[in-house]
Amino acid sequence: MKNSLLTFLLVAFTTLTSFVYQDTEGDRLIGVWEPSNGRARVKVEKIGSKYYGKIVWLKEPTDPVTKQAKIDKNNPDPALQNIPLKGYRNLKDFVYSGKNEWNEGTIYDPLNGSTYSCTIKMKDKNTLEIRGYIGVSALGRTDIWKRLEVKPKS
Amino acid sequence: MLFIFKGTQKCLLLLLLLFGGLKNTQAQTDTATKTATPQSAEEEDFSQYDNIGFSEAGAKRFCSPKIEGLSPQKLIGLGFDFQASHNMDLDSFNSNLLSGNAHTYAINNASGIRFNCNIPVISKTNIVWQLGANYWETKYNRADEGPSLPFFPNPVANALINNGLRTLGLNTTIFKPLNETNFILFQGSTDLNGDYDWNLMPMKYLKYSAAVIYGKRPSERKQWGLGLSRTYRVGELNYIPILMFNYTDAKNKWGTEILFPARAHVRRTINPRNMLFAGYELEGQSYRLYRDNYLRNEDLEIRRGEIRLRLVYECSIKEFLWLSIQAGYRINYRYNVDRLENGNEILRAFGILSKEAYVMNNKLSNPLYFNISLNLVSP
């Protein structure tokens, strides 16, 4: 009986700590990141148990034709074409799967209005490998994102 | 004791339920307040992201291989190329063992499949490396001329018309950004060209082409570069300077995609999923006449170079699957036959380095052509 109780306690403790540890580990993705082209900055945050990224900075924030803030004019859904790009969620639904990887998410490219399957791998605490792909991972492209240092507001 | 155990078990179960419940409640609350819609709901002061630097000391920014508005890069493409009826005006051929009269052959059409693939191997901020493969074929479908054929049919004509021409190649592209504006681009390829069948040819007949460009990317919409290439695009080996100029206007309506002299196009972007191009491509290769035993010993190669003036329409038919249709005029630049000197190619450099005569001076008339392909495009 004692053994059963100990086993039960051990399993319960391991399960609980693994949940907490996984959560903490996954949260390392939270922060502000810059893709290799330097055209935008993306803030990753956690909503529920998933991770999302939104555009918070654009190198060229103004549309050269309309002289207004850039909007998502290439979105295939006409209802979404007037949404400002600043604040746009271009990374969606990422789940931490362990071993420094976040899966099951998508990445949206506002330049052509396409959404790709995506995996994120953390190479070190300041570097991400973001792989957008079509169907299978081999048919894709990897981009390197670097973490940016945001100073806390005084 | 039993009571204690039962109590502990209940407590643990309660704790587990509580933790799980809390976790779910938290998730629901977060999801309810911060819906994951395209636009984030909360107001945020975006100015705090204006002047921030990398967390990692020494991290650098590098320029991207692409500019805004360029046509999407094709990962895998399968197409069909068709040249309408034209004449193949072949010179007489004489050697110690073989000879044939000059004759103009009527060709109903010249057509074949074209397969290309180009897969990124390394894609990092400071280097991009891609590997590709291609297979192109041209099959000549001769019009039935009956008794008008020459008394001594030309063996080269027989080889071309019976066997067709094929290209099987591997290529690589390396993009090396030096900083935020300057870059070096290297392209290399090796091709097996000839009238071979499934038995291919020995690797000693491989042809090597390469190009290196030093370029600048002064803005998100402009990229240019200068370089040098070793090429067979004019049909025979040449070393020629190259100019790269990719540009997209502010409205993303007009642009250019130029790698002169290989190709130059003006681009009209209807929207990012529909594009129209007008321009030309210079195509060419040296093809070994290999399948016929006698011709093989003659060390002969066809120097095929052509200019394709064309209109191209490219569109997305379903997400990442793009259709490309091109139609235009195929202008023959060269279709001569050369004999290798001790296995070595003659480097004429447009007649500057050598004025060595060709074995056969052939001419093709210029037909209309079209090409259709389905392509999987890159993210």
Side-chain angles (χ1 to χ4, degrees):
Chain A
M1 187 64 74
K2 242 181 186 175
N3 281 346
S4 303
L5 176 62
L6 277 172
T7 311
F8 179 77
L9 281 170
L10 198 65
V11 169
F13 179 75
T14 312
T15 313
L16 278 172
T17 48
S18 110
F19 273 135
V20 173
Y21 181 65
Q22 285 248 336
D23 261 14
T24 319
E25 251 203 354
D27 287 356
R28 289 173 304 152
L29 188 63
I30 293 169
V32 181
W33 301 87
E34 185 175 296
S36 68
N37 59 35
R39 280 199 285 252
R41 289 169 186 166
V42 176
K43 182 181 180 183
V44 175
E45 51 197 356
K46 193 176 184 183
I47 302 174
S49 57
K50 293 183 176 179
Y51 298 88
Y52 296 82
K54 68 178 177 187
I55 298 166
V56 291
W57 180 89
L58 288 165
K59 191 176 180 182
E60 292 178 0
T62 309
D63 188 304
V65 180
T66 63
K67 309 293 179 198
Q68 303 289 313
K70 276 186 176 171
I71 53 174
D72 188 24
K73 60 183 180 184
N74 296 322
N75 198 305
D77 182 352
L80 300 175
Q81 286 173 356
N82 286 322
I83 291 178
L85 278 185
K86 252 190 197 176
Y88 199 99
R89 285 214 166 90
N90 63 335
L91 294 179
K92 278 189 185 175
D93 300 326
F94 286 87
V95 176
Y96 184 62
S97 58
K99 294 182 181 171
N100 300 322
E101 278 192 32
W102 291 258
N103 297 313
E104 299 174 35
T106 59
I107 186 167
Y108 174 75
D109 184 356
L111 285 181
N112 56 24
S114 295
T115 303
Y116 305 93
S117 302
C118 185
T119 58
I120 300 174
K121 193 169 191 177
M122 187 172 272
K123 296 300 287 179
D124 59 60
K125 65 176 183 175
N126 295 319
T127 311
L128 297 179
E129 275 187 5
I130 307 261
R131 184 161 185 83
Y133 61 94
I134 307 161
V136 289
S137 182
L139 297 176
R141 188 171 68 83
T142 304
D143 195 31
I144 304 291
W145 291 22
K146 288 284 183 185
R147 191 189 289 275
L148 295 161
E149 194 70 57
V150 184
K151 289 170 193 153
K153 277 190 170 179
S154 53
Chain B
M1 186 69 185
L2 191 67
F3 173 75
I4 292 168
F5 172 68
K6 274 186 179 168
T8 315
Q9 200 175 23
K10 275 180 186 170
C11 275
L12 279 166
L13 280 170
L14 200 66
L15 273 171
L16 272 173
L17 283 170
L18 192 64
F19 261 91
L22 267 179
K23 203 171 156 63
N24 285 339
T25 314
Q26 184 68 37
Q28 281 161 17
T29 313
D30 278 356
T31 313
T33 52
K34 296 172 165 185
T35 49
T37 51
Q39 176 70 15
S40 66
E42 68 272 30
E43 288 293 321
E44 185 160 6
D45 175 17
F46 290 119
S47 65
Q48 64 180 306
Y49 306 109
D50 285 348
N51 297 309
I52 53 177
F54 290 122
S55 299
E56 181 187 317
K60 284 182 181 175
R61 292 186 175 92
F62 293 101
C63 60
S64 152
K66 294 194 280 190
I67 60 162
E68 280 184 24
L70 275 188
S71 57
Q73 192 203 337
K74 298 171 178 82
L75 287 175
I76 299 175
L78 182 63
F80 183 73
D81 192 79
F82 182 91
Q83 296 172 32
S85 65
H86 59 279
N87 290 329
M88 188 185 270
D89 190 3
L90 296 186
D91 203 355
S92 59
F93 175 75
N94 291 296
S95 72
N96 293 336
L97 291 168
L98 296 167
S99 64
N101 296 340
H103 185 68
T104 299
Y105 295 83
I107 302 295
N108 265 345
N109 60 68
S111 60
I113 59 164
R114 292 185 169 194
F115 168 80
N116 299 288
C117 79
N118 202 3
I119 307 293
V121 181
I122 294 176
S123 189
K124 290 186 174 179
T125 312
N126 60 353
I127 191 162
V128 179
W129 175 36
Q130 298 184 328
L131 272 180
N134 62 287
Y135 173 75
W136 290 14
E137 63 179 25
T138 306
K139 290 176 179 170
Y140 295 97
N141 178 14
R142 187 169 65 86
D144 186 16
E145 292 174 295
S148 70
L149 279 171
F151 189 72
F152 292 109
N154 195 319
V156 175
N158 285 346
L160 283 169
I161 293 165
N162 295 337
N163 304 336
L165 297 172
R166 284 168 190 81
T167 290
L168 182 65
L170 291 173
N171 59 72
T172 185
T173 304
I174 298 169
F175 176 85
K176 175 66 187 163
L178 303 174
N179 50 41
E180 284 187 69
T181 49
N182 299 334
F183 64 88
I184 291 171
L185 182 68
F186 171 80
Q187 290 181 319
S189 65
T190 176
D191 296 285
L192 201 60
N193 313 308
D195 66 340
Y196 54 84
D197 56 6
W198 289 109
N199 293 323
L200 301 180
M201 299 193 300
M203 294 298 130
K204 66 178 180 179
Y205 298 128
L206 281 171
K207 301 289 185 194
Y208 300 95
S209 306
V212 65
I213 293 172
Y214 173 78
K216 276 183 178 285
R217 189 180 178 278
S219 78
E220 293 296 323
R221 283 182 283 275
K222 193 195 286 179
Q223 183 184 46
W224 63 270
L226 288 169
L228 186 69
S229 68
R230 172 193 158 96
T231 180
Y232 286 88
R233 279 185 186 265
V234 283
E236 60 189 18
L237 179 61
N238 248 315
Y239 293 88
I240 48 179
I242 41 178
L243 167 71
M244 174 195 206
F245 187 75
N246 294 327
Y247 171 75
T248 302
D249 76 335
K251 294 180 183 177
N252 194 16
K253 292 290 176 195
W254 293 95
T256 60
E257 295 187 14
I258 296 171
L259 191 64
F260 182 82
R263 70 185 79 91
H265 292 95
V266 172
R267 182 186 64 244
R268 171 76 171 91
T269 304
I270 301 158
N271 61 50
R273 290 156 190 268
N274 283 276
M275 296 175 179
L276 198 60
F277 303 84
Y280 81 91
E281 172 135 24
L282 195 59
E283 282 189 6
Q285 268 297 359
S286 279
Y287 296 87
R288 180 90 186 175
L289 292 175
Y290 177 77
R291 216 190 298 187
D292 182 285
N293 287 335
Y294 292 107
L295 289 177
R296 187 188 307 169
N297 295 329
E298 294 281 341
D299 256 1
L300 301 175
E301 288 185 351
I302 300 268
R303 311 292 189 205
R304 173 197 188 188
E306 59 195 37
I307 302 158
R308 292 181 167 220
L309 281 178
R310 64 195 186 184
L311 284 174
V312 185
Y313 174 65
E314 293 189 349
C315 66
S316 163
I317 52 172
K318 188 168 172 52
E319 295 182 349
F320 316 109
L321 192 62
W322 280 57
L323 176 71
S324 173
I325 301 169
Q326 48 176 282
Y329 198 50
R330 196 274 287 136
I331 300 166
N332 175 238
Y333 175 74
R334 180 175 287 136
Y335 203 73
N336 295 342
V337 175
D338 217 357
R339 182 178 280 117
L340 275 63
E341 290 179 339
N342 303 319
N344 298 318
E345 293 170 270
I346 302 161
L347 180 59
R348 291 185 178 81
F350 302 106
I352 298 166
L353 298 180
S354 168
K355 296 195 187 306
E356 182 87 22
Y358 292 96
V359 174
M360 292 170 74
N361 288 297
N362 305 323
K363 200 82 189 155
L364 302 179
S365 65
N366 303 323
L368 294 173
Y369 90 96
F370 79 86
N371 182 302
I372 185 165
S373 66
L374 276 176
N375 304 279
L376 198 61
V377 303
S378 169

